[in-house]
Amino acid sequence: MMPKQEKSVELTSKPAPLVLGEKKPWNPAPSEPVVFLGAASYESVSCVTANFQAFVTDLSHEDLDVEESLQEMVELIFKRAVKKPESAAVFAELCQHLSEVEFQSLSDWSVSVSFRSLLVKHCQAEFGKSLDKEGIHQESGSCLQPVRDVRVIDRLREEQQNAKPSGRFLNMLRFIGQLFLSKVLAEKSMHCCIRRLLQKGDGPSLEGLCQLLQMIQQDLEVVTSKKVMDTYYSQLDYIAEKGKRAPRLSLLLKKTVDARKMAYSTPH
């Protein structure tokens, strides 16, 4: 059998915010194309690009009033978004619609639990874990440590400085950037990511930072002082010129810095 092709649907209007317990069905205009997905389930998150509005509406019938269920939804959406980077913007919009879902914690009735808070924590955990895993770690040459061969240590350090990031790492940063553009993650989260990537300063971190900045630079400039942004780009420019990196990485850093200069020089 031939695989069934997913049909894409262009959003003609933005659905109303999701409210738990609301049982009103979604009745699209007759002229609006519809692809019915059936009952929403965790597995159907992968089909979100087929019919975004129907998916969001179906979620109102899901049992999301238990913290564990909401956490599972957060983890699955994050996993799918990283696996399908071409749909990162759609998954980020889905998170934007779910961000207001909130209820009292069953473990502590004095606090509330929201989809947004769980998503932020999950993003922080995944970012930190992925950052630690990227590149070549000196521990990989631990068997050589008793020799204290400076040449081996220098070679490992050079490889780390110019290593390429994994596809998953770049996809994760792309989704995080889209969450910021969709107003799900705050400015503070972006500065935390940028500073940690600059602080690590190896090849994967810098390449990932270039991708992130190219995505969010214009929106971040609106809410961030020019002095702070100048500091970030000055560091990238210095690394490109004086950091003794591979030509590929130096060129990428330079292109990222030049893109911001062009944005400022272009009349609006």
Side-chain angles (χ1 to χ4, degrees), residues 204-266:
S205 300
L206 292 175
E207 187 168 337
L209 177 57
C210 287
Q211 175 183 279
L212 182 62
L213 286 173
Q214 288 169 10
M215 282 185 61
I216 68 172
Q217 177 258 324
Q218 291 187 353
D219 287 55
L220 192 60
E221 296 268 9
V222 174
V223 293
T224 305
S225 69
K226 186 175 181 299
K227 183 178 179 181
V228 172
M229 296 299 293
D230 286 346
T231 301
Y232 295 153
Y233 282 89
S234 294
Q235 291 183 61
L236 293 181
D237 195 28
Y238 179 83
I239 295 172
E241 294 290 342
K242 309 291 185 181
K244 296 181 180 180
R245 302 304 174 100
R248 172 192 63 83
L249 185 55
S250 294
L251 181 60
L252 178 61
L253 293 167
K254 198 66 179 173
K255 285 176 63 176
T256 303
V257 173
D258 290 343
R260 181 176 183 249
K261 292 179 181 178
M262 287 290 292
Y264 267 99
S265 61
T266 302

Side-chain angles (χ1 to χ4, degrees), residues 171-231:
N171 293 347
M172 179 203 63
L173 290 176
R174 181 175 182 175
F175 182 49
I176 286 176
Q178 288 292 351
L179 288 173
F180 170 71
L181 297 178
S182 298
K183 306 295 189 294
V184 178
L185 293 181
E187 170 198 0
K188 181 180 179 180
S189 298
M190 295 302 99
H191 290 302
C192 179
C193 290
I194 292 171
R195 288 164 182 163
R196 289 191 65 182
L197 290 167
L198 277 172
Q199 184 179 21
K200 190 170 185 185
D202 57 7
S205 300
L206 292 175
E207 187 168 337
L209 177 57
C210 287
Q211 175 183 279
L212 182 62
L213 286 173
Q214 288 169 10
M215 282 185 61
I216 68 172
Q217 177 258 324
Q218 291 187 353
D219 287 55
L220 192 60
E221 296 268 9
V222 174
V223 293
T224 305
S225 69
K226 186 175 181 299
K227 183 178 179 181
V228 172
M229 296 299 293
D230 286 346
T231 301

Side-chain angles (χ1 to χ4, degrees), residues 19-189:
V19 179
L20 282 179
E22 190 175 58
K23 300 299 182 182
K24 295 180 180 179
W26 173 55
N27 296 315
S31 59
E32 187 174 0
V34 178
V35 178
F36 291 100
L37 296 179
S41 65
Y42 292 158
E43 289 76 13
S44 66
V45 176
S46 62
C47 301
V48 67
T49 54
N51 193 322
F52 178 80
Q53 289 178 316
F55 183 82
V56 171
T57 303
D58 284 346
L59 280 175
S60 64
H61 299 279
E62 288 292 297
D63 181 18
L64 294 181
D65 57 348
V66 179
E67 186 172 349
E68 289 77 10
S69 298
L70 197 59
Q71 181 65 42
E72 288 178 10
M73 180 64 74
V74 166
E75 293 173 2
L76 183 59
I77 290 175
F78 190 96
K79 180 180 178 180
R80 294 293 188 182
V82 171
K83 189 174 182 180
K84 295 178 175 288
E86 69 280 1
S87 302
V90 179
F91 282 106
E93 190 175 349
L94 172 61
C95 291
Q96 194 276 328
H97 281 270
L98 292 171
S99 61
E100 300 306 318
V101 175
E102 184 174 330
F103 53 86
Q104 284 184 315
S105 172
L106 296 179
S107 57
D108 186 352
W109 286 91
S110 64
V111 299
S112 60
V113 177
S114 69
F115 178 89
R116 184 193 295 269
S117 63
L118 293 177
L119 178 62
V120 170
K121 290 179 181 178
H122 191 69
C123 287
Q124 290 172 340
E126 287 294 321
F127 177 82
K129 184 167 60 177
S130 297
L131 194 62
D132 290 339
K133 286 183 178 180
E134 280 303 300
I136 306 163
H137 300 285
Q138 187 173 327
E139 290 85 305
S140 61
S142 58
C143 60
L144 300 174
Q145 286 181 359
V147 180
R148 294 294 180 183
D149 191 329
V150 177
R151 292 172 298 178
V152 172
I153 295 175
D154 288 343
R155 179 178 58 79
L156 289 173
R157 184 180 293 113
E158 183 179 355
E159 290 179 3
Q160 174 73 9
Q161 293 295 307
N162 296 302
K164 293 183 178 181
S166 66
R168 187 187 185 283
F169 184 66
L170 293 178
N171 293 347
M172 179 203 63
L173 290 176
R174 181 175 182 175
F175 182 49
I176 286 176
Q178 288 292 351
L179 288 173
F180 170 71
L181 297 178
S182 298
K183 306 295 189 294
V184 178
L185 293 181
E187 170 198 0
K188 181 180 179 180
S189 298

